[in-house]
């Protein structure tokens, strides 16, 4: 298509203005064209973002050249079929050896347990600690052991966002994630687990793992309808241990969002009595206020540059 050709020509000429390459619903490129695109990307030094959405591509051909690129910071694959593990294996060298990669999105790409293993191995072999976010939502790989993935991510000091929504995660996956949340070296701030298979036992485990966590701000549990009274009570105890001074000191003052939108708050209200449901919501709001006040105070005292350096 002429539109696609124009984009690729800009990238081919290494134009400084060509910092993003987005291809959507490209179904008519031949295998040699994908291989040629990979070669072009291997020589390009200005593209920072590569987004492929609903494309029928030759992954192996593309990655022959892509694996040599050291400048792409953000890679977004949406609805790219990676069910064949050979496809993800061809992408793995790029994920491992790119020294600039900050954000990885493999959303609704049919990753199975084998794909998660390949990804985990690729991330564990990263030569530089640059990863800031990992988005794996919508792959429906089920309730599998995520220990290898968590082990790989535990060394990522810059990782602040992990999205695993709509994957069928239950007790096995939650057990692995609890280990990440207990790791005091982890700087994860946002964990998205909406629309999974998390039940009370899993929710209690996650709540317990956050008892001493001082980094996580959002634990999105929206759409996990198996969480009932016991699970939401554990979350309440986490953020509001008791009204005593000792209880307040032991409470988690960082978590301020459970991903429950206004219409979903009814779920909590049904699971808990009215007073406890209100207390949970108000405790989360109070933590959010504390977070904003703390950020404002640090910024005011140190200045924007020094405050950002402190948070880093």
């Amino acid at each position: 298509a002429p539109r696609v050709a124009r984009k690729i020509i800009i990238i081919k000429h290494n134009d400084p203005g060509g910092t993003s390459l987005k291809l959507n619903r490209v179904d008519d490129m031949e295998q040699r064209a994908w291989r040629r695109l990979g070669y072009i990307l291997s020589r390009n030094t200005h593209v920072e973002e590569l987004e492929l959405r609903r494309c029928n591509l030759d992954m192996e051909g593309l990655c022959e050249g892509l694996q040599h690129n050291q400048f792409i910071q953000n890679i977004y694959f949406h609805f790219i079929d990676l069910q064949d593990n050979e496809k993800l294996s061809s992408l793995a060298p790029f994920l491992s050896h790119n020294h600039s990669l900050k954000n990885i999105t493999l959303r609704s790409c049919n990753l199975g347990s084998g794909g998660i293993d390949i990804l985990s191995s690729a991330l564990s072999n990263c030569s530089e600690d640059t990863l800031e976010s990992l988005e794996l939502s919508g792959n429906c790989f089920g309730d599998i052991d995520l220990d290898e993935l968590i082990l790989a991510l535990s060394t990522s000091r810059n990782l602040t966002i992990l999205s695993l929504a709509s994957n069928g995660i239950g007790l096995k996956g939650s057990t692995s994630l609890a280990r990440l949340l207990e790791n005091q070296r982890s700087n994860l701030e946002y964990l998205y687990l909406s629309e999974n298979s998390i039940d009370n036992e899993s929710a209690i485990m996650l709540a317990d793992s956050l008892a001493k966590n001082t980094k996580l701000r959002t634990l999105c549990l929206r759409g996990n309808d198996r969480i009932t009274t016991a699970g939401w009570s554990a979350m309440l105890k986490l953020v509001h241990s008791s009204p005593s001074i000792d209880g307040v000191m032991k409470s988690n003052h960082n978590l301020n969002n459970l991903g429950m939108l206004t219409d979903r708050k009814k779920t909590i209200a049904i699971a808990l009595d009215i007073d406890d449901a209100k207390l949970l919501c108000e405790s989360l709001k109070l933590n959010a206020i504390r977070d904003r006040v703390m950020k404002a105070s640090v910024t005011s005292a140190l200045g924007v540059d020094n405050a950002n350096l402190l948070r880093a």
Side-chain angles (χ1 to χ4, degrees):
R3 178 175 56 85
V4 174
R6 286 195 296 271
K7 290 181 179 179
I8 295 177
I9 288 173
I10 292 174
I11 303 302
K12 178 183 177 181
H13 291 159
N14 205 16
D15 188 327
T19 59
S20 177
L21 177 60
K22 298 181 180 181
L23 302 179
N24 184 27
R25 297 183 182 276
V26 176
D27 298 318
D28 54 356
M29 277 179 62
E30 298 179 356
Q31 287 186 340
R32 62 180 181 179
W34 285 109
R35 184 169 284 103
R36 178 63 178 170
L37 176 58
Y39 173 76
I40 290 171
L41 288 171
S42 73
R43 300 170 65 86
N44 185 280
T45 59
H46 294 291
V47 172
E48 298 177 355
E49 177 181 80
L50 174 62
E51 179 176 327
L52 301 179
R53 187 183 296 267
R54 298 184 185 275
C55 294
N56 182 21
L57 72 156
D58 176 14
M59 180 66 76
E60 292 87 345
L62 174 68
C63 291
E64 279 184 17
L66 181 63
Q67 65 180 312
H68 301 295
N69 181 282
Q70 292 291 317
F71 297 92
I72 292 175
Q73 299 179 20
N74 311 299
I75 183 167
Y76 304 112
F77 284 8
H78 300 266
F79 301 97
I80 302 296
D81 190 357
L82 299 177
Q83 188 172 18
D84 182 350
N85 289 339
E86 291 299 319
K87 293 182 178 181
L88 191 57
S89 293
S90 66
L91 181 64
F94 167 77
L95 300 179
S96 294
H97 304 312
N98 182 299
H99 296 167
S100 304
L101 198 57
K102 295 181 179 180
N103 304 297
I104 300 173
T105 291
L106 302 175
R107 185 175 185 182
S108 299
C109 291
N110 290 325
L111 292 181
S113 58
I116 295 299
D117 289 341
I118 293 169
L119 177 63
S120 301
S121 178
L123 294 177
S124 67
N125 291 323
C126 285
S127 54
E128 299 290 338
D129 181 14
T130 58
L131 189 63
E132 296 177 359
S133 74
L134 177 63
E135 153 74 289
L136 300 175
S137 297
N139 285 292
C140 302
F141 45 71
D143 188 24
I144 61 174
D145 186 322
L146 297 175
D147 283 354
E148 291 303 315
L149 178 63
I150 298 309
L151 182 62
L153 297 179
S154 64
T155 60
S156 298
R157 299 291 177 264
N158 296 305
L159 184 73
T160 58
I161 302 172
L162 176 59
S163 181
L164 296 168
S166 302
N167 282 315
I169 292 173
L171 184 58
K172 287 183 180 179
S174 296
T175 302
S176 301
L177 289 166
R179 294 193 182 100
L180 178 63
L181 297 176
E182 288 172 345
N183 185 348
Q184 296 186 12
R185 292 179 297 176
S186 170
N187 290 312
L188 195 68
E189 296 183 16
Y190 305 93
L191 177 57
Y192 297 96
L193 297 175
S194 59
E195 307 296 337
N196 275 295
S197 299
I198 296 173
D199 59 10
N200 286 332
E201 186 175 0
S202 301
I204 292 170
M205 181 179 299
L206 292 171
D208 289 345
S209 71
L210 287 169
K212 296 183 180 180
N213 186 296
T214 60
K215 308 287 179 58
L216 198 76
R217 293 181 170 85
T218 293
L219 174 62
C220 184
L221 296 174
R222 184 177 68 252
N224 287 283
D225 296 332
R226 297 182 184 182
I227 303 177
T228 58
T229 303
W232 291 120
S233 294
M235 292 296 162
L236 172 58
K237 184 178 179 181
L238 172 67
V239 296
H240 188 86
S241 180
S242 74
S244 68
I245 295 177
D246 184 59
V248 171
M249 293 298 293
K250 290 181 179 179
S251 298
N252 182 303
H253 298 305
N254 301 283
L255 186 68
N256 58 58
N257 188 354
L258 292 174
M260 306 304 287
L261 303 175
T262 302
D263 59 329
R264 293 284 185 168
K265 289 180 180 179
K266 295 179 181 178
T267 303
I268 298 177
I270 293 173
L272 303 174
D273 62 47
I274 295 176
D275 290 339
D276 282 349
K278 183 177 180 180
L279 184 59
L280 174 57
C281 293
E282 291 302 319
S283 296
L284 293 170
K285 287 181 181 179
L286 184 58
N287 282 355
I289 293 172
R290 286 196 190 99
D291 187 45
R292 289 195 295 270
V293 170
M294 180 62 70
K295 285 182 178 179
S297 298
V298 171
T299 301
S300 176
L302 300 180
V304 174
D305 292 338
N306 288 333
N308 289 336
L309 182 62
L310 177 64
R311 292 179 194 124

